[in-house]
Coordinates of all heavy atoms in Angstrom, one line a residue:
M11 N -50.4 165.3 -59.8 CA -49.5 164.2 -59.3 C -49.1 164.4 -57.9 O -49.1 163.4 -57.2 CB -48.3 164.3 -60.2 CG -47.4 163.1 -60.0 SD -48.2 161.6 -60.5 CE -47.0 160.8 -61.4
Q12 N -48.9 165.6 -57.5 CA -48.6 165.9 -56.1 C -49.7 165.6 -55.1 O -49.5 165.1 -54.0 CB -48.2 167.4 -55.9 CG -47.6 167.8 -54.6 CD -46.3 167.2 -54.3 OE1 -45.7 166.6 -55.1 NE2 -45.8 167.3 -53.1
R13 N -51.0 165.9 -55.7 CA -52.1 165.5 -54.9 C -52.3 164.0 -54.5 O -52.7 163.6 -53.5 CB -53.3 166.1 -55.6 CG -54.6 166.0 -54.8 CD -55.7 166.9 -55.4 NE -56.8 166.9 -54.5 CZ -57.9 166.5 -54.7 NH1 -58.2 165.9 -55.8 NH2 -58.9 166.6 -53.8
W14 N -52.0 163.2 -55.6 CA -52.1 161.7 -55.4 C -51.1 161.3 -54.4 O -51.5 160.4 -53.6 CB -51.7 161.1 -56.8 CG -52.9 161.0 -57.7 CD1 -53.2 161.9 -58.6 CD2 -53.8 159.9 -57.8 NE1 -54.3 161.5 -59.2 CE2 -54.8 160.3 -58.8 CE3 -54.0 158.7 -57.1 CZ2 -55.8 159.5 -59.1 CZ3 -55.1 157.9 -57.5 CH2 -56.0 158.3 -58.5
K15 N -50.0 161.8 -54.3 CA -48.9 161.5 -53.3 C -49.4 161.8 -51.9 O -49.3 160.9 -51.0 CB -47.6 162.2 -53.6 CG -46.9 161.6 -54.7 CD -45.6 162.3 -54.9 CE -44.9 161.8 -56.2 NZ -43.6 162.5 -56.3
R16 N -50.0 162.9 -51.7 CA -50.5 163.3 -50.4 C -51.8 162.4 -50.0 O -51.8 162.0 -48.8 CB -51.0 164.8 -50.4 CG -49.8 165.7 -50.4 CD -50.3 167.1 -50.2 NE -49.2 168.0 -50.2 CZ -49.3 169.3 -50.1 NH1 -50.5 169.8 -50.1 NH2 -48.3 170.1 -50.0
T17 N -52.7 162.2 -50.9 CA -53.8 161.4 -50.5 C -53.5 159.9 -50.3 O -54.1 159.2 -49.5 CB -54.9 161.5 -51.6 OG1 -54.4 161.1 -52.8 CG2 -55.5 162.9 -51.8
L18 N -52.5 159.3 -51.0 CA -52.1 158.0 -50.8 C -51.1 157.8 -49.7 O -50.9 156.6 -49.2 CB -51.5 157.4 -52.1 CG -52.6 157.2 -53.2 CD1 -51.8 156.7 -54.5 CD2 -53.6 156.3 -52.7
A19 N -50.4 158.8 -49.3 CA -49.4 158.7 -48.2 C -49.9 158.1 -46.9 O -49.3 157.2 -46.4 CB -48.7 160.0 -48.0
L20 N -51.0 158.6 -46.4 CA -51.5 158.2 -45.2 C -52.0 156.7 -45.2 O -51.6 155.8 -44.4 CB -52.6 159.1 -44.6 CG -53.1 158.7 -43.3 CD1 -52.1 158.8 -42.2 CD2 -54.3 159.7 -42.9
P21 N -52.8 156.3 -46.2 CA -53.3 154.9 -46.2 C -52.1 153.9 -46.5 O -52.1 152.9 -45.9 CB -54.2 154.8 -47.4 CG -54.7 156.3 -47.6 CD -53.5 157.1 -47.2
V22 N -51.2 154.3 -47.3 CA -50.0 153.4 -47.6 C -49.2 153.3 -46.3 O -48.8 152.1 -46.0 CB -49.2 153.9 -48.8 CG1 -47.9 153.2 -48.9 CG2 -50.0 153.8 -50.0
T23 N -49.0 154.3 -45.6 CA -48.3 154.3 -44.3 C -48.9 153.4 -43.4 O -48.3 152.5 -42.6 CB -48.1 155.7 -43.8 OG1 -47.4 156.5 -44.7 CG2 -47.2 155.6 -42.5
L24 N -50.2 153.5 -43.2 CA -51.0 152.7 -42.3 C -51.0 151.2 -42.6 O -50.8 150.3 -41.8 CB -52.5 153.2 -42.2 CG -52.6 154.6 -41.5 CD1 -54.1 155.0 -41.6 CD2 -52.1 154.6 -40.1
V25 N -51.1 151.0 -43.9 CA -51.0 149.6 -44.4 C -49.6 149.0 -44.1 O -49.4 147.9 -43.7 CB -51.4 149.5 -45.9 CG1 -51.0 148.1 -46.4 CG2 -52.8 149.8 -46.1
A26 N -48.6 149.8 -44.4 CA -47.2 149.3 -44.1 C -47.0 149.1 -42.6 O -46.3 148.0 -42.3 CB -46.2 150.4 -44.6
I27 N -47.5 149.9 -41.8 CA -47.4 149.7 -40.3 C -48.1 148.4 -39.9 O -47.6 147.6 -39.1 CB -47.9 151.0 -39.5 CG1 -46.9 152.1 -39.8 CG2 -48.0 150.6 -38.0 CD1 -47.4 153.4 -39.2
A28 N -49.3 148.3 -40.4 CA -50.1 147.1 -40.1 C -49.4 145.8 -40.5 O -49.4 144.8 -39.9 CB -51.5 147.2 -40.7
L29 N -48.9 145.8 -41.8 CA -48.2 144.7 -42.2 C -46.9 144.3 -41.4 O -46.6 143.2 -41.1 CB -47.8 144.8 -43.7 CG -48.9 144.7 -44.7 CD1 -48.4 145.0 -46.2 CD2 -49.5 143.3 -44.7
G30 N -46.1 145.4 -41.1 CA -45.0 145.2 -40.2 C -45.4 144.5 -38.9 O -44.7 143.7 -38.4
F31 N -46.5 145.1 -38.3 CA -46.9 144.6 -37.0 C -47.4 143.1 -37.2 O -47.0 142.2 -36.4 CB -48.1 145.4 -36.6 CG -48.8 144.8 -35.3 CD1 -48.1 145.0 -34.0 CD2 -50.0 144.1 -35.4 CE1 -48.7 144.4 -32.9 CE2 -50.6 143.6 -34.2 CZ -49.9 143.7 -33.0
L32 N -48.1 142.8 -38.2 CA -48.5 141.4 -38.5 C -47.4 140.4 -38.7 O -47.3 139.3 -38.2 CB -49.5 141.3 -39.5 CG -50.9 142.0 -39.3 CD1 -51.7 141.9 -40.6 CD2 -51.6 141.2 -38.1
I33 N -46.4 140.9 -39.4 CA -45.2 140.1 -39.7 C -44.4 139.8 -38.4 O -44.0 138.7 -38.1 CB -44.3 140.7 -40.8 CG1 -45.0 140.6 -42.1 CG2 -43.0 140.0 -40.8 CD1 -44.3 141.4 -43.2
S34 N -44.3 140.9 -37.6 CA -43.6 140.7 -36.3 C -44.4 139.8 -35.4 O -43.8 139.0 -34.8 CB -43.5 142.2 -35.7 OG -43.4 142.0 -34.3
L35 N -45.7 139.9 -35.4 CA -46.6 139.1 -34.6 C -46.5 137.5 -35.0 O -46.3 136.6 -34.2 CB -48.0 139.5 -34.6 CG -49.0 138.8 -33.7 CD1 -48.7 139.0 -32.3 CD2 -50.4 139.3 -34.1
Q36 N -46.4 137.4 -36.3 CA -46.3 136.0 -36.8 C -44.9 135.4 -36.5 O -44.9 134.2 -36.1 CB -46.4 136.0 -38.4 CG -46.2 134.7 -39.1 CD -47.2 133.6 -38.6 OE1 -48.3 133.9 -38.3 NE2 -46.7 132.4 -38.6
A37 N -43.9 136.2 -36.6 CA -42.5 135.7 -36.2 C -42.5 135.3 -34.7 O -41.9 134.3 -34.3 CB -41.4 136.7 -36.5
Q38 N -43.0 136.2 -33.8 CA -43.1 135.8 -32.4 C -43.9 134.6 -32.1 O -43.6 133.8 -31.3 CB -43.6 137.1 -31.6 CG -43.6 136.9 -30.2 CD -42.2 136.9 -29.6 OE1 -41.3 137.5 -30.1 NE2 -42.0 136.0 -28.5
T39 N -45.0 134.4 -32.8 CA -45.9 133.3 -32.6 C -45.2 132.1 -33.0 O -45.2 131.0 -32.3 CB -47.2 133.5 -33.4 OG1 -47.9 134.7 -33.0 CG2 -48.1 132.2 -33.2
Q40 N -44.4 132.1 -34.1 CA -43.7 131.0 -34.6 C -42.6 130.5 -33.6 O -42.4 129.4 -33.4 CB -43.1 131.2 -36.0 CG -42.4 130.0 -36.6 CD -43.4 128.9 -36.9 OE1 -44.5 129.1 -37.2 NE2 -42.9 127.7 -36.6
K41 N -42.0 131.6 -33.0 CA -40.9 131.3 -32.0 C -41.5 130.6 -30.8 O -41.0 129.6 -30.3 CB -40.2 132.6 -31.6 CG -39.0 132.4 -30.7 CD -38.5 133.7 -30.1 CE -38.1 134.6 -31.1 NZ -37.5 135.9 -30.6
N42 N -42.7 131.0 -30.4 CA -43.4 130.4 -29.2 C -43.8 129.1 -29.5 O -43.7 128.2 -28.7 CB -44.6 131.3 -28.8 CG -44.2 132.6 -28.2 OD1 -43.0 132.8 -27.8 ND2 -45.2 133.5 -28.1
V43 N -44.3 128.9 -30.8 CA -44.7 127.4 -31.1 C -43.5 126.5 -31.1 O -43.6 125.4 -30.7 CB -45.4 127.5 -32.5 CG1 -45.6 126.0 -33.1 CG2 -46.8 128.1 -32.4
S44 N -42.4 127.0 -31.7 CA -41.2 126.2 -31.7 C -40.7 125.9 -30.3 O -40.3 124.7 -29.9 CB -40.1 126.9 -32.4 OG -40.4 127.0 -33.8
A45 N -40.8 126.8 -29.3 CA -40.4 126.6 -28.0 C -41.3 125.6 -27.3 O -40.9 124.7 -26.5 CB -40.4 127.9 -27.3
A46 N -42.6 125.7 -27.6 CA -43.6 124.7 -27.0 C -43.4 123.4 -27.6 O -43.5 122.4 -26.8 CB -45.0 125.2 -27.3
E47 N -43.0 123.2 -28.8 CA -42.8 121.9 -29.4 C -41.6 121.3 -28.8 O -41.5 120.1 -28.5 CB -42.6 122.0 -30.9 CG -43.9 122.2 -31.6 CD -43.7 122.5 -33.2 OE1 -42.5 122.6 -33.6 OE2 -44.7 122.5 -33.9
Q48 N -40.5 122.1 -28.5 CA -39.3 121.6 -27.9 C -39.6 121.1 -26.4 O -39.1 120.0 -26.0 CB -38.2 122.7 -27.9 CG -36.9 122.3 -27.4 CD -36.3 121.1 -28.2 OE1 -36.4 121.0 -29.4 NE2 -35.5 120.3 -27.6
I49 N -40.3 121.9 -25.7 CA -40.7 121.4 -24.4 C -41.5 120.2 -24.4 O -41.3 119.2 -23.6 CB -41.5 122.6 -23.7 CG1 -40.6 123.7 -23.4 CG2 -42.1 122.1 -22.4 CD1 -41.3 125.0 -22.9
S50 N -42.4 120.0 -25.4 CA -43.2 118.8 -25.5 C -42.3 117.7 -25.9 O -42.5 116.5 -25.3 CB -44.3 119.0 -26.6 OG -45.0 117.9 -26.8
I51 N -41.4 117.8 -26.7 CA -40.4 116.7 -27.0 C -39.6 116.3 -25.8 O -39.4 115.1 -25.5 CB -39.5 117.2 -28.2 CG1 -40.4 117.2 -29.5 CG2 -38.3 116.2 -28.3 CD1 -39.6 117.9 -30.6
E52 N -39.2 117.3 -25.0 CA -38.4 117.0 -23.8 C -39.3 116.2 -22.8 O -38.8 115.3 -22.2 CB -37.8 118.2 -23.2 CG -36.7 118.9 -24.0 CD -36.3 120.3 -23.5 OE1 -36.9 120.7 -22.5 OE2 -35.5 120.9 -24.2
R53 N -40.5 116.7 -22.6 CA -41.4 116.0 -21.7 C -41.7 114.5 -22.1 O -41.7 113.6 -21.3 CB -42.6 116.7 -21.5 CG -42.5 118.0 -20.7 CD -43.9 118.6 -20.4 NE -43.7 119.8 -19.7 CZ -44.7 120.8 -19.6 NH1 -45.8 120.7 -20.2 NH2 -44.5 121.8 -18.8
M54 N -41.8 114.3 -23.4 CA -42.1 113.0 -23.9 C -40.9 112.1 -23.7 O -41.1 111.0 -23.2 CB -42.4 113.1 -25.4 CG -42.7 111.7 -26.0 SD -44.2 111.0 -25.4 CE -45.4 112.1 -26.2
A55 N -39.7 112.6 -23.9 CA -38.5 111.9 -23.5 C -38.4 111.5 -22.1 O -38.1 110.4 -21.7 CB -37.2 112.6 -24.1
Q56 N -38.7 112.5 -21.2 CA -38.7 112.2 -19.8 C -39.7 111.2 -19.4 O -39.4 110.2 -18.6 CB -38.9 113.5 -19.0 CG -37.8 114.5 -19.0 CD -38.2 115.8 -18.5 OE1 -39.3 116.1 -18.1 NE2 -37.1 116.6 -18.2
M57 N -40.9 111.3 -20.0 CA -42.0 110.2 -19.7 C -41.6 108.9 -20.2 O -41.8 107.9 -19.5 CB -43.3 110.8 -20.3 CG -43.9 111.9 -19.6 SD -44.3 111.6 -17.9 CE -43.1 112.7 -17.1
K58 N -41.0 108.8 -21.3 CA -40.4 107.5 -21.8 C -39.4 106.9 -20.9 O -39.4 105.7 -20.6 CB -39.9 107.6 -23.2 CG -40.9 107.8 -24.3 CD -40.3 107.9 -25.7 CE -41.4 108.1 -26.8 NZ -40.8 108.2 -28.1
S59 N -38.5 107.7 -20.4 CA -37.5 107.3 -19.4 C -38.2 106.8 -18.1 O -37.8 105.7 -17.6 CB -36.5 108.5 -19.1 OG -35.6 108.1 -18.1
V60 N -39.1 107.5 -17.6 CA -39.8 107.2 -16.4 C -40.6 105.9 -16.6 O -40.5 105.0 -15.8 CB -40.8 108.3 -16.0 CG1 -41.8 107.7 -14.9 CG2 -40.1 109.5 -15.4
L61 N -41.2 105.7 -17.8 CA -41.9 104.4 -18.1 C -41.0 103.2 -18.1 O -41.2 102.2 -17.7 CB -42.6 104.6 -19.4 CG -43.4 103.3 -19.9 CD1 -44.5 103.0 -18.9 CD2 -44.0 103.6 -21.3
A62 N -39.8 103.5 -18.9 CA -38.8 102.4 -19.0 C -38.3 102.0 -17.6 O -38.2 100.8 -17.3 CB -37.7 102.8 -19.9
N63 N -38.0 103.0 -16.7 CA -37.5 102.7 -15.4 C -38.6 101.9 -14.6 O -38.3 100.9 -13.8 CB -37.1 103.9 -14.7 CG -35.8 104.5 -15.2 OD1 -35.1 103.8 -15.8 ND2 -35.7 105.8 -14.9
S64 N -39.9 102.3 -14.8 CA -40.9 101.6 -14.0 C -41.2 100.2 -14.5 O -41.4 99.3 -13.7 CB -42.3 102.5 -14.2 OG -42.2 103.8 -13.6
Q65 N -41.0 100.1 -15.8 CA -41.2 98.7 -16.3 C -40.1 97.8 -15.9 O -40.3 96.6 -15.5 CB -41.3 98.7 -17.8 CG -42.7 99.3 -18.3 CD -42.6 99.5 -19.8 OE1 -41.6 99.6 -20.5 NE2 -43.8 99.5 -20.4
A66 N -38.9 98.3 -15.8 CA -37.7 97.5 -15.3 C -37.9 97.2 -13.8 O -37.6 96.0 -13.5 CB -36.4 98.3 -15.6
Q67 N -38.3 98.2 -13.0 CA -38.5 97.9 -11.6 C -39.7 96.9 -11.4 O -39.6 96.0 -10.6 CB -38.8 99.2 -10.9 CG -38.9 99.1 -9.4 CD -39.1 100.4 -8.8 OE1 -39.6 101.4 -9.3 NE2 -38.8 100.4 -7.4
N68 N -40.7 97.0 -12.3 CA -41.8 96.1 -12.1 C -41.4 94.6 -12.5 O -41.7 93.7 -11.8 CB -42.9 96.5 -13.1 CG -44.2 95.7 -13.0 OD1 -44.5 95.1 -12.0 ND2 -44.9 95.6 -14.1
A69 N -40.5 94.5 -13.5 CA -40.1 93.2 -13.8 C -39.2 92.6 -12.7 O -39.4 91.4 -12.4 CB -39.1 93.3 -15.1
L70 N -38.3 93.4 -12.0 CA -37.6 93.0 -10.9 C -38.5 92.6 -9.7 O -38.3 91.5 -9.1 CB -36.6 94.0 -10.5 CG -35.5 94.3 -11.4 CD1 -34.6 95.5 -10.9 CD2 -34.5 93.1 -11.6
L71 N -39.5 93.3 -9.5 CA -40.4 93.0 -8.4 C -41.2 91.7 -8.7 O -41.5 90.9 -7.8 CB -41.4 94.1 -8.1 CG -40.7 95.4 -7.5 CD1 -41.7 96.5 -7.5 CD2 -40.2 95.1 -6.1
Q72 N -41.5 91.5 -10.0 CA -42.3 90.3 -10.3 C -41.4 89.1 -10.1 O -41.9 88.0 -9.6 CB -42.8 90.3 -11.8 CG -44.0 91.3 -11.9 CD -44.5 91.4 -13.4 OE1 -43.8 90.9 -14.2 NE2 -45.6 92.0 -13.5
E73 N -40.1 89.2 -10.5 CA -39.1 88.1 -10.3 C -39.0 87.8 -8.8 O -39.0 86.6 -8.4 CB -37.8 88.4 -10.9 CG -37.8 88.4 -12.4 CD -36.5 88.9 -13.0 OE1 -35.5 89.0 -12.2 OE2 -36.4 89.2 -14.2
A74 N -38.9 88.9 -8.0 CA -38.7 88.7 -6.5 C -40.0 88.0 -6.0 O -39.9 87.2 -5.1 CB -38.5 90.0 -5.9
H75 N -41.2 88.4 -6.5 CA -42.4 87.9 -6.0 C -42.5 86.3 -6.3 O -42.8 85.5 -5.5 CB -43.6 88.6 -6.7 CG -44.9 88.1 -6.3 ND1 -45.6 87.3 -7.1 CD2 -45.6 88.2 -5.2 CE1 -46.9 87.0 -6.6 NE2 -46.8 87.6 -5.4
V76 N -42.1 86.0 -7.5 CA -42.1 84.6 -7.9 C -41.2 83.8 -7.0 O -41.4 82.7 -6.5 CB -41.7 84.4 -9.4 CG1 -41.4 83.0 -9.7 CG2 -42.8 84.9 -10.3
G77 N -40.0 84.4 -6.8 CA -39.0 83.7 -5.8 C -39.6 83.5 -4.5 O -39.3 82.5 -3.8
L78 N -40.1 84.6 -3.9 CA -40.7 84.5 -2.6 C -41.9 83.5 -2.5 O -42.0 82.8 -1.5 CB -41.2 85.9 -2.1 CG -40.1 86.9 -1.8 CD1 -40.7 88.3 -1.7 CD2 -39.3 86.4 -0.7
L79 N -42.7 83.5 -3.6 CA -43.7 82.5 -3.6 C -43.1 81.1 -3.5 O -43.7 80.1 -2.9 CB -44.6 82.6 -4.8 CG -45.6 83.8 -4.8 CD1 -46.3 83.9 -6.1 CD2 -46.6 83.7 -3.6
E80 N -42.0 80.8 -4.3 CA -41.4 79.5 -4.3 C -40.8 79.2 -2.9 O -41.0 78.0 -2.5 CB -40.3 79.4 -5.4 CG -40.8 79.5 -6.7 CD -39.7 79.6 -7.8 OE1 -38.5 79.7 -7.5 OE2 -40.0 79.6 -9.0
E81 N -40.3 80.1 -2.3 CA -39.7 79.9 -0.9 C -40.9 79.6 0.1 O -40.7 78.8 0.9 CB -39.0 81.2 -0.4 CG -37.6 81.3 -1.1 CD -36.9 82.5 -0.5 OE1 -37.0 82.8 0.7 OE2 -36.2 83.2 -1.3
L82 N -42.0 80.3 -0.1 CA -43.1 80.1 0.8 C -43.6 78.7 0.6 O -43.9 78.0 1.5 CB -44.2 81.1 0.5 CG -45.5 81.0 1.3 CD1 -45.2 81.2 2.8 CD2 -46.5 82.0 0.8
D83 N -43.7 78.2 -0.7 CA -44.2 76.8 -0.9 C -43.2 75.8 -0.3 O -43.7 74.8 0.3 CB -44.3 76.6 -2.4 CG -45.6 77.2 -3.0 OD1 -46.5 77.6 -2.3 OD2 -45.7 77.3 -4.2
K84 N -41.9 76.1 -0.5 CA -40.9 75.2 0.1 C -41.1 75.1 1.6 O -41.0 74.1 2.3 CB -39.5 75.6 -0.2 CG -39.2 75.4 -1.7 CD -37.8 75.9 -2.0 CE -37.5 75.8 -3.5 NZ -36.1 76.3 -3.8
A85 N -41.2 76.3 2.2 CA -41.4 76.4 3.7 C -42.6 75.7 4.2 O -42.7 75.0 5.2 CB -41.4 77.9 4.1
R86 N -43.7 75.9 3.4 CA -45.0 75.1 3.7 C -44.8 73.7 3.7 O -45.3 72.8 4.5 CB -46.1 75.6 2.9 CG -46.6 76.9 3.2 CD -47.7 77.4 2.2 NE -48.3 78.7 2.6 CZ -49.0 79.5 1.8 NH1 -49.3 79.0 0.6 NH2 -49.4 80.6 2.2
K87 N -44.0 73.2 2.7 CA -43.9 71.8 2.6 C -42.9 71.2 3.6 O -43.2 70.1 4.1 CB -43.2 71.5 1.2 CG -44.2 71.6 0.0 CD -43.5 71.4 -1.3 CE -44.5 71.7 -2.4 NZ -43.9 71.6 -3.8
R88 N -41.9 72.0 4.1 CA -41.0 71.6 5.1 C -41.8 71.5 6.5 O -41.4 70.7 7.2 CB -39.8 72.6 5.3 CG -38.8 72.2 4.2 CD -37.6 73.1 4.5 NE -38.0 74.5 3.9 CZ -37.4 75.6 4.3 NH1 -36.4 75.6 5.1 NH2 -37.8 76.8 3.7
V89 N -42.6 72.5 6.7 CA -43.4 72.5 8.0 C -44.2 71.2 8.1 O -44.2 70.5 9.2 CB -44.3 73.7 8.0 CG1 -45.3 73.5 9.2 CG2 -43.6 74.9 8.1
G90 N -44.7 70.7 7.0 CA -45.4 69.4 7.1 C -44.6 68.2 7.3 O -45.1 67.2 7.8
T91 N -43.3 68.3 7.1 CA -42.5 67.1 7.1 C -41.4 67.2 8.1 O -40.8 66.2 8.6 CB -41.8 66.8 5.7 OG1 -40.9 68.0 5.4 CG2 -42.8 66.6 4.7
D92 N -41.0 68.3 8.6 CA -40.0 68.5 9.7 C -40.6 68.6 11.0 O -41.2 69.6 11.3 CB -39.2 69.8 9.3 CG -37.9 69.9 10.1 OD1 -37.7 69.0 11.0 OD2 -37.2 70.9 9.9
P93 N -40.3 67.6 11.8 CA -40.9 67.6 13.2 C -40.3 68.7 14.1 O -41.0 69.2 14.9 CB -40.4 66.2 13.8 CG -39.7 65.5 12.7 CD -39.6 66.4 11.5
N94 N -39.1 69.2 13.8 CA -38.6 70.3 14.6 C -39.3 71.6 14.4 O -39.6 72.3 15.3 CB -37.0 70.5 14.3 CG -36.3 69.3 14.8 OD1 -36.5 68.6 15.7 ND2 -35.1 69.1 14.1
L95 N -39.7 71.8 13.2 CA -40.5 73.0 12.9 C -41.9 72.9 13.4 O -42.4 73.9 13.9 CB -40.6 73.2 11.4 CG -39.3 73.6 10.6 CD1 -39.4 73.7 9.1 CD2 -38.8 75.1 11.1
L96 N -42.5 71.7 13.4 CA -43.7 71.6 14.0 C -43.7 71.8 15.5 O -44.6 72.5 16.0 CB -44.3 70.2 13.7 CG -44.7 69.9 12.2 CD1 -45.1 68.5 12.0 CD2 -45.9 70.8 11.8
T97 N -42.7 71.3 16.1 CA -42.6 71.5 17.6 C -42.3 73.0 17.8 O -43.0 73.5 18.8 CB -41.4 70.7 18.1 OG1 -41.6 69.3 17.7 CG2 -41.3 70.8 19.6
A98 N -41.6 73.6 17.0 CA -41.2 75.0 17.3 C -42.5 75.9 17.0 O -42.8 76.8 17.8 CB -40.2 75.6 16.4
W99 N -43.3 75.5 16.1 CA -44.5 76.2 15.7 C -45.6 76.1 16.8 O -46.3 77.0 17.2 CB -45.1 75.7 14.4 CG -46.4 76.3 14.0 CD1 -47.7 75.8 14.1 CD2 -46.6 77.6 13.6 NE1 -48.6 76.6 13.8 CE2 -48.0 77.8 13.4 CE3 -45.8 78.7 13.3 CZ2 -48.6 78.9 13.0 CZ3 -46.3 79.8 12.8 CH2 -47.7 80.0 12.6
K100 N -45.6 74.9 17.4 CA -46.6 74.7 18.6 C -46.2 75.5 19.8 O -47.1 75.8 20.6 CB -46.7 73.2 18.9 CG -47.4 72.4 17.8 CD -47.5 70.9 18.1 CE -48.1 70.2 17.0 NZ -48.1 68.8 17.2
G101 N -45.0 75.9 19.9 CA -44.5 76.6 21.1 C -44.9 78.0 21.0 O -44.7 78.7 22.0
F102 N -45.3 78.5 19.9 CA -45.7 80.0 19.8 C -47.0 80.2 20.4 O -48.0 79.4 20.3 CB -45.8 80.5 18.3 CG -44.5 80.6 17.6 CD1 -44.1 79.8 16.7 CD2 -43.7 81.7 17.9 CE1 -42.8 80.0 16.0 CE2 -42.5 82.0 17.3 CZ -42.1 81.0 16.4
P103 N -47.1 81.3 21.2 CA -48.4 81.6 21.9 C -49.4 82.1 20.8 O -49.1 82.7 19.8 CB -48.0 82.8 22.8 CG -46.7 83.4 22.3 CD -46.1 82.3 21.5
T104 N -50.6 81.7 21.1 CA -51.7 82.2 20.2 C -52.5 83.3 20.8 O -52.6 83.4 22.1 CB -52.7 81.0 19.9 OG1 -53.2 80.5 21.2 CG2 -52.0 79.9 19.1
N105 N -53.1 84.1 20.0 CA -53.8 85.3 20.6 C -55.2 85.0 20.8 O -55.9 84.3 20.1 CB -53.7 86.5 19.6 CG -52.3 87.0 19.7 OD1 -51.6 86.9 20.6 ND2 -51.9 87.6 18.5

């Protein structure tokens, strides 16, 4: 019986050390995966915020563009009908 204890002691100890190492490694890996997932979630939220801001700014710029096009059309129509503007325009030097 004593002989069995001695012959099994070393392999059982090595197996226990290996299992402890693997369990520790698994716990550390899981912690790293959780941290990476959290970072990914934060980045996704930031990107959604940037996208929403860009879309809002784009909408404002499109509205401004439409307004400026309308003003341009009005100015073009006035140039054709307002003699003062035509006179002023002819007074500009040409290159």
Side-chain angles (χ1 to χ4, degrees):
M11 188 67 136
Q12 187 69 7
R13 186 162 190 247
W14 278 89
K15 287 183 184 179
R16 282 188 182 174
T17 58
L18 289 178
L20 183 60
V22 169
T23 303
L24 292 176
V25 168
I27 290 172
L29 284 175
F31 175 74
L32 291 175
I33 290 171
S34 157
L35 186 63
Q36 176 63 29
Q38 185 64 34
T39 302
Q40 186 61 38
K41 187 188 303 183
N42 290 343
V43 167
S44 296
E47 287 175 352
Q48 184 63 29
I49 290 170
S50 178
I51 290 169
E52 290 172 3
R53 284 185 181 165
M54 183 64 72
Q56 289 173 348
M57 289 298 112
K58 285 181 180 179
S59 174
V60 168
L61 178 63
N63 289 338
S64 296
Q65 288 174 336
Q67 188 176 17
N68 187 24
L70 290 173
L71 290 172
Q72 286 179 349
E73 289 175 15
H75 180 254
V76 168
L78 289 171
L79 286 176
E80 289 173 359
E81 286 183 37
L82 180 62
D83 282 345
K84 289 178 185 177
R86 284 180 179 162
K87 289 177 184 176
R88 277 185 284 162
V89 168
T91 58
D92 188 358
N94 292 331
L95 288 175
L96 289 173
T97 306
W99 176 255
K100 290 178 183 176
F102 282 109
T104 57
N105 291 334

